[in-house]
Amino acid sequence: MPLWQRLLITVATMLVTSFLAGLSWRWLFNTDIPSYLSGMVGGVTAVPVWELLKRVQIR
């Protein structure tokens, strides 16, 4: 898989995960999620997604 496709999928996954974490946090605690926590959730999600995409062979 080309670098630009992996990068695009990884960034999209990070954004979706951060957004869902923010919604979950608001539902649970009725306040905004701290930005550093949202970024950490997205960043921790990005590492396994990137590694998974490096191993995927699309023909």
Side-chain angles (χ1 to χ4, degrees):
M1 181 177 286
L3 178 66
W4 68 271
Q5 286 179 342
R6 282 187 294 181
L7 187 61
L8 185 66
I9 292 170
T10 303
V11 169
T13 304
M14 285 174 53
L15 291 175
V16 168
T17 305
S18 294
F19 179 73
L20 292 176
L23 287 178
S24 299
W25 187 275
R26 180 178 294 270
W27 181 71
L28 288 171
F29 301 112
N30 200 23
T31 185
D32 289 335
I33 190 171
S35 59
Y36 63 88
L37 189 57
S38 178
M40 186 179 73
V41 168
V44 167
T45 303
V47 174
V49 169
W50 184 262
E51 290 299 319
L52 177 71
L53 291 175
K54 282 191 343 187
R55 295 167 198 241
V56 171
Q57 296 293 327
I58 296 179
R59 297 175 190 207

